[in-house]
């Protein structure tokens, strides 16, 4: 067959490069992505860039309590966003709180993904009874409001960051399982899966090396939006007092702490963490929305 | 007298990030009343885009960049959407490979057909319904009255294609563009559809452009044959002449590679190489890298369209057979 | 004749899940679970080095039979024999050997390649996994295969979308060859290719047959290609084989009325413009096939007996079988 002129299409455009170019074409989405990355970076660097460690009792003074934004303490420290009732610098508390919120959001999403994706892809590959069993569990899970399930779980499990993550994982996995099953049902009809079966490759390899990587694209969208969802859910739980412990506050807990002072005009204790939370969730959702537009083939020309 | 359809120098371009795709690049042909033109070519050669251009259905990022399309002497290029609506579906009808492009899966067949009639004519429901029943009968659907109140998914693939054809014929169009209407169908069903269209064209005198990649299908159906390669018609002429005495090396290569033209069990004559990408066409003849008759001048300039014999056109510097 | 791979009275039934409309209807009455007899007691053997063409209309069960012979699906009834042993009785290494000996080449060159794997991995994964090639030499093994199917080995680290249709088809063929099969089931393997590329791939199939002594089950609806390639041809209609014969005999003198109709309806370049005289009637639904001879509603020669009694597939000449009452009792 050497007479066949072999000329492959040159690799000018890989799908990833094209995707990145498409993403960057939208200014707003690009800005949102930059903001999200900056927020994540700030929260990671909190121990080094925050003016004080808000949980080190030696660094805070009760005499600095409830300072207005921009006020100076007696020993001359500037509190840009004010202090709370214990004299903590709000800016520092918010950076640490953001870190906790993002961590809980990302960790629970990652764990939810792992559980949901494994179950969903298994259900789709095997079909029949295994599929029915897993999907009934998913239906059951999705028929209760997420917040209710999380509340019940935390009431049983007690407080703690790990418990919150566990609860949020259990709330989220069903979304991933359902989405990935839908994709996998389509993908598993493709001939490359049959080819792998024909080559007598073991099932686990077919599921995880062939089927799964081809079902991931839409999950990225959902996972992004779910991080935002998990953060707001965690904030709700913390606000209700069943979330993270008081020693490691998240943004939600900060809002809750300051809530009682709002009516007395000391708005900053609640408002600033609230704005930061809103802003974080908004930008993450913007990123997620744009990813969805890009990955939805029906919107493509 | 002017032909039903006259296409001259048609150019349809798509502007993409990677560059301008000249999907149709200077295509000219004409079809007379009652005539069938077969438009063949490989995947991506621009057959569908040619059809869509004639229907005025090229969407962004595509646009008609030049040339003219005349239907019974009336220029269509540059028509506004209102002008198109009086033509599309009424004077020109299109049949697609997938009949579900025409049919709406959630509406009953009669609803869709009556709607199609009333879009162009002011007739009462029962009159329209009677016309629909006749139309279904004409395309060979048994018990059309009952079939009218069925949903498209209750039909087989071949039946759906018949319904799509019936809808295309509702207004007795002057021109029918059929884009691979039988490619997805079985041999015996394909033969039925072709026979039906042949009969109807003879009855109504419509001109037909039949797009396909299968030479065998058009050989039995068309009066004239146009072969497309990389957005251009590289050979055009009466079907029988083109198929028996091809002038272009590509047409000749295609015919030579058919199993029927090779001794059984022996290797087939093959055209080497693969179809070029429209974004990276070689400077000269687009077929040059695969052509056995290629000479130095072929790689410099595009071969222009030349007359070949009595009634044929060709784009090749070195035609296979200098016919009289 | 010792068969390499053989289907013996193979049947395959699919219980079709009721669709939404049926489910809603089921609320008011009992739901009828619809069963498709995709294959109804089909026997077909492929000898070493032989090319068997399998022809039939959409839904006749061609792909189902191909997949069952390739071991991707299990039959609902009957046996698949490899080298004379029932594959259902084999286990462990034996079974794997039988599975690897029959490989498939698929219709759609794009969807049959994993879009997220490099060509080197697509071709090299199975031989590496099954120990056909050692880890150190798998790259050379893949390069060798790529050369054999007419691909430049320097493209080994590219992804499928970077190739043209014909090249993708070659990758699929190289993947099948990598585990040293003895039979290749080619399911419409050229149907999705450009006309000018089809001849290249057909030639490749023939060349590989000569080189490796491969046998093929060549599934196609293109009678011209089947006639060119096949030694024997089997015609399927609605899950039953209606005729098996040597290719030249079948094309010279088709026996079964359905085969005759197929040949008559096949578009041919050489006939020129002519009036078509098609076979009438629709292909019946496999959910609800006609009684007796499945072909009787469309058969121009049908008699009363045809709608009552299923014609047996019987030998009408040496090596030639047909299932029609016209061939006598
Ligand atoms: N919307 C679009 N945007 C960009 N390019 C397009 C678009 N539609 C068509 N094209 C390009 O135009 C060229 C011609 O396409 P066309 O669909 O007419 O081919 P065809 O001859 O009908 O092929 P097939 O046999 O596969 O139907 C192709 O190269 C295709 O990539
Ligand atoms: N997984 C499945 N579930 C249910 N029914 C099926 C399944 N696969 C095939 N069938 C049915 O079995 C019958 C035979 O299908 P098969 O795919 O073997 O036909 P085919 O001859 O290959 O047709 P085609 O030419 O369209 O590929 C069809 O009626 C089909 O609807
Ligand atoms: S112009 Fe030259 S390269 Fe092109 S087809 Fe004719 S002979 Fe071949
Ligand atoms: S058995 Fe009867 S119906 Fe069937 S093919 Fe023979 S003659 Fe026709
Ligand atoms: Mg097309
Ligand atoms: Mg099939």
């Amino acid at each position: 067959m050497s007479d066949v002129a072999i000329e492959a299409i040159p690799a000018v455009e890989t799908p990833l490069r094209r995707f990145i170019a498409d993403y960057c074409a939208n200014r707003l989405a690009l800005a949102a992505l930059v903001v999200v990355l900056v927020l994540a970076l700030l929260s990671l660097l909190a121990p080094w860039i925050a003016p004080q460690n808000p949980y080190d009792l030696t660094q805070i003074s009760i005499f600095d309590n409830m300072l207005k934004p921009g006020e100076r303490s007696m020993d001359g420290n500037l509190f840009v966003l004010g202090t709370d009732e214990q004299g903590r610098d709000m800016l520092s508390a918010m950076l640490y709180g953001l870190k906790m919120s993002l961590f809980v959001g990302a960790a629970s999403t990652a764990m939810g993904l792992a559980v949901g994706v494994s179950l969903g892809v298994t259900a789709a590959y095997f079909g029949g009874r295994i599929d029915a069993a897993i999907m009934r569990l998913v239906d059951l899970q999705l028929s209760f409001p997420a917040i209710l399930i999380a509340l019940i779980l935390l009431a049983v499990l007690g407080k703690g960051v790990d418990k919150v993550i566990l609860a949020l994982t259990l709330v989220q996995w069903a979304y991933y399982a359902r989405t990935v099953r839908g994709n996998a049902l389509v993908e598993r009809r493709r001939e490359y899966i049959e080819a792998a079966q024909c080559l007598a490759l073991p099932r686990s390899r077919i599921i995880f090396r062939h089927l799964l990587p081809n079902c991931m694209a839409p999950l990225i969208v959902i996972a992004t939006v779910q991080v935002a969802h998990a953060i707001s859910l965690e904030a709700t739980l913390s606000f209700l007092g069943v979330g993270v412990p008081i020693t490691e506050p998240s943004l939600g807990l900060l809002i809750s702490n300051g809530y009682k002072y709002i009516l007395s005009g000391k708005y900053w204790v609640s408002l600033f963490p609230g704005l930061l939370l809103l802003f974080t969730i908004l930008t993450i959702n913007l990123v997620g929305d744009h990813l969805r537009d890009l990955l939805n083939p029906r919107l493509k020309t | 007298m002017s032909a039903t359809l006259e296409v001259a120098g048609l150019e349809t371009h798509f502007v993409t990030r990677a560059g301008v795709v000249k999907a149709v690049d200077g295509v000219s042909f004409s079809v007379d009343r009652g005539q069938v033109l077969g438009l063949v070519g490989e995947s991506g050669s621009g057959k569908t885009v040619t059809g869509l251009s004639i229907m005025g259905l090229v969407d962004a990022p595509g646009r008609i960049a030049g040339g003219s399309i005349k239907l019974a002497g009336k220029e269509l290029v540059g028509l506004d959407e209102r002008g198109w609506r009086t033509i599309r579906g009424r004077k020109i009808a299109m049949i697609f490979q997938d009949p579900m492009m025409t049919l709406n899966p959630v509406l009953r067949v009669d609803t869709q057909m009556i709607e199609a009639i009333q879009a162009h004519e002011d007739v009462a429901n029962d009159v329209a319904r009677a016309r629909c029943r006749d139309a279904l009968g004409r395309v060979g659907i048994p018990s059309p009255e009952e079939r009218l109140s069925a949903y498209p998914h209750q039909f087989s693939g071949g039946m759906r294609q018949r319904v799509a054809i019936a809808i295309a014929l509702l207004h007795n169009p002057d021109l029918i563009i059929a884009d691979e209407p039988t490619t997805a169908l079985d041999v015996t069903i394909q033969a039925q559809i072709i026979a039906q269209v042949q009969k109807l064209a003879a009855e109504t005198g419509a001109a037909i452009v039949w797009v396909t990649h299968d030479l065998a299908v058009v050989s039995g159906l068309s009066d004239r044959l146009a072969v497309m390669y990389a957005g251009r018609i590289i050979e055009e002429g009466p079907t029988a002449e083109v198929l028996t005495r091809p002038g272009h090396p590509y047409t000749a290569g295609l015919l030579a590679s058919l199993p029927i033209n090779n001794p059984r069990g022996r290797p087939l004559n093959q055209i080497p190489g693969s179809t070029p990408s429209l974004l990276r066409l070689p400077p000269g003849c687009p077929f040059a890298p695969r052509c056995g008759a290629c000479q130095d001048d072929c790689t410099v300039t595009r071969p222009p369209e030349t007359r070949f014999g009595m009634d044929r056109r060709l784009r090749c510097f070195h035609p296979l057979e200098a016919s009289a | 004749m010792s068969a390499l791979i053989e289907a013996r009275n193979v049947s395959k039934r699919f219980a079709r899940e009721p669709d939404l409309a049926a489910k809603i209807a089921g609320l008011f009455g009992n739901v009828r679970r619809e069963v498709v007899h995709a294959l109804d007691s089909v026997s077909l053997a492929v000898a070493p080095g032989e090319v068997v063409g399998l022809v039939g209309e959409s839904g006749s069960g061609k792909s189902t039979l191909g997949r069952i012979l390739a071991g991707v699906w299990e039959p609902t009834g009957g046996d698949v024999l490899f080298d004379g042993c029932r594959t259902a009785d084999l286990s462990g290494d034996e079974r794997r050997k039988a599975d690897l000996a029959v490989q498939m080449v698929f219709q759609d060159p794009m969807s049959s390649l994993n879009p997220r794997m490099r060509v080197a991995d697509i071709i090299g994964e199975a031989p590496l996994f099954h120990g056909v090639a050692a880890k150190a030499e798998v790259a050379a093994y893949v390069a060798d295969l790529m050369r054999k199917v007419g691909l430049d080995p320097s493209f080994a680290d590219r992804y499928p979308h970077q190739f043209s249709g014909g090249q993708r088809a070659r990758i699929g063929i190289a993947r099948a060859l990598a585990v040293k099969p003895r039979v290749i089931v080619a399911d419409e393997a050229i149907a999705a290719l450009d006309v000018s590329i089809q001849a290249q791939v057909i030639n490749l199939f023939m060349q590989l047959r000569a080189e490796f002594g491969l046998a093929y089950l060549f599934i196609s609806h293109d009678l011209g290609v089947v006639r060119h390639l096949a030694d024997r041809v089997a015609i399927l209609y609605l899950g039953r084989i209606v005729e098996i014969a040597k290719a030249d005999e079948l094309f010279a003198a088709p026996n079964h009325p359905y085969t005759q109709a197929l040949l008559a309806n096949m578009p041919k370049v050489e006939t020129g413009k002519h009036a078509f005289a098609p076979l009438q009637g629709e292909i019946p639904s496999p959910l609800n096939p006609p009684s007796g001879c499945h072909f009787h509603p469309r058969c121009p020669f049908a008699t009363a007996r045809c709608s009552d009694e299923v014609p047996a597939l019987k030998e009408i000449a040496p090596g030639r079988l047909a299932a029609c009452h016209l061939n006598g009792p």
Side-chain angles (χ1 to χ4, degrees), chain A residues 1 6 194 199 205 210 214, chain C residues 67 114 125 130 150 207:
Chain A
M1 305 303 300
I6 300 303
E194 251 169 71
L199 291 165
R205 197 182 175 92
H210 292 255
N214 287 297
Chain C
R67 289 186 171 108
N114 187 337
E125 182 183 18
H130 294 297
Q207 177 206 336

Side-chain angles (χ1 to χ4, degrees), chain A residues 125-142:
Chain A
Y125 184 83
F126 288 100
R129 280 210 201 116
I130 297 179
D131 186 26
I134 294 178
M135 290 326 285
R136 287 305 80 75
L137 208 60
V138 168
D139 289 345
L140 194 70
Q141 164 88 70
L142 292 179

Side-chain angles (χ1 to χ4, degrees), chain A residues 118-286:
Chain A
S118 310
L119 286 174
V121 82
T122 309
Y125 184 83
F126 288 100
R129 280 210 201 116
I130 297 179
D131 186 26
I134 294 178
M135 290 326 285
R136 287 305 80 75
L137 208 60
V138 168
D139 289 345
L140 194 70
Q141 164 88 70
L142 292 179
S143 57
F144 287 104
I147 182 77
L148 194 63
I149 299 179
L151 276 173
I152 294 170
L153 279 169
L154 286 173
V156 176
L157 295 171
K159 273 191 170 187
V161 177
D162 50 344
K163 312 256 170 37
V164 174
I165 293 180
L166 185 67
L168 291 181
T169 303
L170 283 172
V171 168
Q172 291 186 71
W173 72 273
Y175 291 102
Y176 303 123
R178 195 174 56 179
T179 313
V180 84
R181 173 178 173 270
N183 293 322
L185 279 181
V186 176
E187 284 295 323
R188 75 147 297 172
R189 301 254 167 271
R190 307 244 160 158
E191 291 169 339
Y192 67 86
I193 298 294
E194 251 169 71
Q197 291 172 333
C198 206
L199 291 165
L201 297 173
R203 278 181 184 154
S204 58
R205 197 182 175 92
I206 299 178
I207 294 180
F208 289 103
R209 285 222 30 196
H210 292 255
L211 190 53
L212 188 54
N214 287 297
C215 306
M216 291 307 282
L219 275 183
I220 296 171
V221 177
I222 304 203
T224 318
V225 177
Q226 278 293 320
V227 170
H229 190 208
I231 290 175
S232 74
L233 207 56
E234 179 275 330
T236 315
L237 291 172
S238 296
F239 186 84
L240 294 176
V242 291
V244 295
I246 195 89
T247 50
E248 299 166 275
S250 63
L251 289 177
L253 196 57
L254 291 179
I255 300 171
S256 151
N257 284 346
Y259 185 62
K260 45 187 178 289
Y261 302 111
I262 282 212
L263 290 179
S264 54
K266 294 172 180 141
Y267 62 91
W268 60 90
V269 190
S270 240
L271 182 69
F272 291 135
L275 287 179
L276 182 59
L277 181 70
L278 193 72
F279 191 59
T280 310
I281 291 175
L282 190 74
T283 47
I284 296 179
N285 274 330
L286 271 176

Side-chain angles (χ1 to χ4, degrees), chain C:
Chain C
M1 184 188 70
S2 72
L4 182 54
I5 181 111
E6 184 178 353
R8 206 172 273 175
N9 300 323
V10 161
S11 298
K12 180 80 182 173
R13 288 182 290 277
F14 293 105
R16 183 162 292 183
E17 284 294 313
D19 62 7
L20 189 64
K23 269 186 188 158
I24 293 169
L27 292 177
F28 305 103
N30 50 333
V31 195
R32 190 167 53 95
R33 259 194 99 106
E34 295 182 309
V35 176
V36 184
H37 288 260
L39 289 176
D40 185 3
S41 195
V42 166
S43 301
L44 183 67
V46 182
E50 186 188 32
V51 180
V52 176
L54 186 59
V55 177
E57 294 186 278
S58 179
S60 58
K62 307 182 295 293
S63 302
T64 306
L65 182 56
R67 289 186 171 108
I68 287 175
L69 282 174
V72 179
W73 287 352
E74 299 290 331
T76 330
D79 296 309
V80 176
L81 287 83
F82 177 74
D83 256 348
C85 305
R86 291 174 47 188
T87 53
D89 297 342
L90 301 175
S91 59
D93 257 9
E94 299 261 277
R95 175 72 201 241
R96 204 177 67 182
K97 232 180 85 195
D99 280 348
L100 290 182
V102 190
Q103 286 303 312
M104 285 189 82
V105 174
F106 297 91
Q107 166 168 8
D108 184 347
M110 194 62 210
S111 94
S112 65
L113 302 177
N114 187 337
R116 280 168 206 273
M117 282 169 81
R118 290 172 194 279
V119 171
D121 296 324
I122 290 175
I123 302 176
E125 182 183 18
L128 185 63
F129 185 84
H130 294 297
V132 177
K135 194 164 176 89
E137 63 205 27
V138 76
Y141 185 72
V142 168
D144 189 42
L145 280 166
M146 287 180 75
R147 238 172 269 123
K148 278 208 180 94
V149 298
L151 287 168
D152 184 340
S154 66
F155 296 151
D157 55 359
R158 295 202 172 166
Y159 289 92
H161 75 268
Q162 294 170 311
F163 292 87
S164 69
Q167 290 171 329
R168 285 180 203 143
R170 289 163 197 268
I171 299 171
I173 295 170
R175 172 180 60 193
L177 290 178
V179 291
K180 302 194 166 29
R182 295 172 64 194
V183 190
I184 289 203
V185 175
D187 189 355
E188 306 270 9
I190 54 162
L193 297 177
D194 265 340
V195 202
S196 75
I197 307 297
Q198 289 188 356
Q200 294 176 2
V201 175
I202 293 170
N203 284 349
L204 177 61
F205 276 128
M206 293 203 289
Q207 177 206 336
L208 295 172
R209 176 190 187 192
E211 200 169 317
F212 300 106
L214 284 174
Y216 290 98
L217 180 69
F218 197 87
I219 300 174
S220 179
H221 62 265
D222 187 335
L223 292 163
V225 173
V226 169
R227 170 200 215 147
H228 190 78
L229 278 178
D231 302 317
R232 284 193 306 140
V233 179
I235 312 273
L236 266 179
Y237 189 76
L238 281 184
R240 292 186 192 150
I241 290 188
V242 297
E243 182 160 5
I244 304 184
K246 290 220 176 67
D248 39 6
E249 291 174 9
L250 184 121
F251 283 98
N255 173 278
H256 195 278
Y258 175 63
T259 317
Q260 293 169 3
L262 265 189
L263 293 189
N265 282 309
M266 162 180 160
K268 298 179 205 71
V269 167
E270 68 276 18
T271 36
K273 181 157 175 162
H274 60 101
F276 285 75
L279 179 66
Q280 293 304 314
E282 292 289 312
I283 303 170
S285 156
L287 279 173
N288 193 355
S291 61
C293 173
H294 282 344
F295 189 55
H296 82 257
R298 304 173 77 191
C299 180
F301 312 110
T303 60
R305 183 179 171 203
C306 300
S307 50
D308 295 337
E309 199 183 317
V310 180
L313 186 66
K314 56 179 186 255
E315 192 151 38
I316 52 167
R320 183 159 196 188
L321 295 95
C324 173
H325 290 312
L326 292 180
N327 294 319

Side-chain angles (χ1 to χ4, degrees), chain B residues 6-291:
Chain B
E6 263 175 302
V7 177
L10 180 66
E11 294 186 17
T12 307
H13 296 175
F14 290 90
V15 182
T16 67
R17 194 198 306 288
V20 177
V21 178
K22 296 183 179 170
V24 177
D25 189 11
V27 160
S28 311
F29 60 84
S30 65
V31 200
D32 288 334
R33 215 181 114 77
Q35 248 199 0
V36 182
L37 173 83
L39 192 59
V40 297
E42 340 209 356
S43 179
S45 58
K47 309 182 295 290
T48 297
V49 175
T50 304
L52 292 177
S53 304
I54 298 169
M55 284 289 281
L57 286 177
V58 180
D59 288 330
R63 63 186 187 90
I64 295 184
S68 97
I69 302 169
K70 285 200 178 114
L71 185 72
K74 185 175 182 297
E75 179 63 53
L76 299 185
V77 174
L79 219 58
D80 60 0
E81 193 51 35
R82 263 193 50 208
W84 269 118
R85 259 190 306 236
T86 61
I87 301 225
R88 202 186 291 141
R90 183 183 180 126
K91 302 260 188 221
I92 313 180
M94 190 150 179
I95 311 170
F96 297 91
Q97 172 172 350
D98 179 2
M100 294 315 277
M101 294 271 290
T102 316
L103 299 174
N104 184 334
V106 299
L107 292 181
R108 283 177 13 178
V109 166
D110 53 357
T111 320
Q112 305 189 38
M113 291 184 78
I114 291 172
E115 215 168 67
I117 292 183
Q118 291 176 341
H120 294 289
E121 285 169 56
D122 194 17
V123 286
N125 273 350
D126 51 342
V127 181
R129 198 183 151 88
R131 252 174 76 187
C132 299
R133 190 176 50 234
D134 293 345
L136 287 189
R138 268 201 300 176
V139 295
I141 288 184
S143 48
E145 181 59 49
E146 287 137 51
R147 287 311 197 153
L148 265 180
S149 41
Y151 288 89
H153 73 261
Q154 293 168 318
F155 290 78
S156 69
M159 291 273 233
R160 265 181 234 160
Q161 195 58 280
R162 282 165 205 258
V163 175
I165 293 173
I167 291 180
L169 292 171
L170 277 177
H171 295 286
N172 282 330
D174 300 334
L175 173 68
I176 300 172
I177 297 169
D179 189 359
E180 314 229 16
T182 61
T183 304
L185 301 177
D186 282 308
V187 179
T188 55
I189 306 300
Q190 165 171 301
Q192 292 174 359
I193 300 268
I194 294 178
Q196 210 81 50
V197 171
Q198 230 175 13
K199 192 172 119 241
L200 292 170
E203 283 170 17
T204 64
I208 298 183
V209 177
W210 189 282
V211 172
T212 177
H213 62 264
D214 190 345
L215 279 175
V217 168
V218 281
S219 72
L221 179 67
S222 68
D223 302 290
R224 294 182 74 84
L225 187 60
V227 185
M228 282 191 84
Y229 192 81
R232 300 167 151 223
I233 290 180
I234 49 109
E235 174 154 19
E236 199 264 348
T239 304
E241 274 188 50
V242 174
L243 291 180
T244 47
R245 281 178 286 120
H248 197 282
Y250 173 68
T251 321
L254 275 191
L255 286 167
S257 73
L258 294 178
I260 198 84
N261 292 333
N262 286 270
R264 214 172 83 85
R266 308 290 312 155
L268 302 171
N269 289 304
Q270 62 181 38
I271 302 177
S274 49
T275 356
S277 153
L278 289 179
L279 283 168
R280 270 171 280 109
L281 285 184
C285 169
F287 188 58
R290 310 174 69 186
C291 180

